[in-house]
Amino acid sequence: MTAHDFDPTLLTGYLDGELTQADQQRVRLHLEDCAACRAELDEMRELAEATRGSAFTVPVDLQWDETPRTNWSRGLNVAGLVLAMLAVVAVVVALVWELAADDTPVPFGVIIPVVVVAAFLAVTASALIDRLRVRGTDPYRKVKR
């Protein structure tokens, strides 16, 4: 068997012990005659050992911190969350009002969508302020797609 008609993906299966007995024997016989495939298999072994021995340390929570960075963004974020909670309370009150009063219209039916939109805009503005603030120091700003 020459190196040209040997399937190199068999080396990975051989290294991982996932080949059938017949394929293992074919690879063993080929490796006896092919120095290039032996070298490639040795390189694959070294790489596998190096990756098995590497450790991944999970960063502390402070490195993942996504809280707003400025007073303005913090204030807008809190305002948006408060408005969102008020919108939820208003929806619940409107549903209870609707069930309790037969023909009386809900007095704040127009206010609820306005509060929801205001909450969304406040939280979005909070994130935008933070993004604009760190724009100059963003390490990924020059990365192209």
Side-chain angles (χ1 to χ4, degrees), residues 1-125:
M1 192 180 282
T2 64
H4 297 289
D5 64 358
F6 183 73
D7 184 7
T9 59
L10 288 174
L11 291 177
T12 306
Y14 182 77
L15 183 64
D16 294 338
E18 297 176 349
L19 297 180
T20 62
Q21 189 174 7
D23 284 339
Q24 284 179 2
Q25 189 173 12
R26 274 187 21 196
V27 172
R28 257 188 252 117
L29 289 173
H30 178 76
L31 289 173
E32 288 176 3
D33 297 332
C34 183
C37 286
R38 280 195 310 268
E40 186 174 345
L41 184 66
D42 288 339
E43 189 176 317
M44 292 168 77
R45 270 194 190 110
E46 288 176 16
L47 183 62
E49 289 173 15
T51 55
R52 280 189 208 112
S54 62
F56 175 74
T57 56
V58 179
V60 295
D61 287 339
L62 294 176
Q63 290 177 328
W64 298 95
D65 190 21
E66 287 293 324
T67 58
R69 293 176 173 86
T70 65
N71 289 336
W72 273 101
S73 64
R74 251 184 242 110
L76 284 171
N77 194 15
V78 169
L81 295 175
V82 168
L83 286 172
M85 285 188 275
L86 287 175
V88 169
V89 169
V91 167
V92 169
V93 170
L95 290 173
V96 170
W97 185 288
E98 194 74 30
L99 291 172
D102 292 332
D103 293 333
T104 310
V106 179
F108 44 83
V110 176
I111 296 174
I112 294 173
V114 171
V115 171
V116 170
V117 169
F120 174 77
L121 290 176
V123 172
T124 303

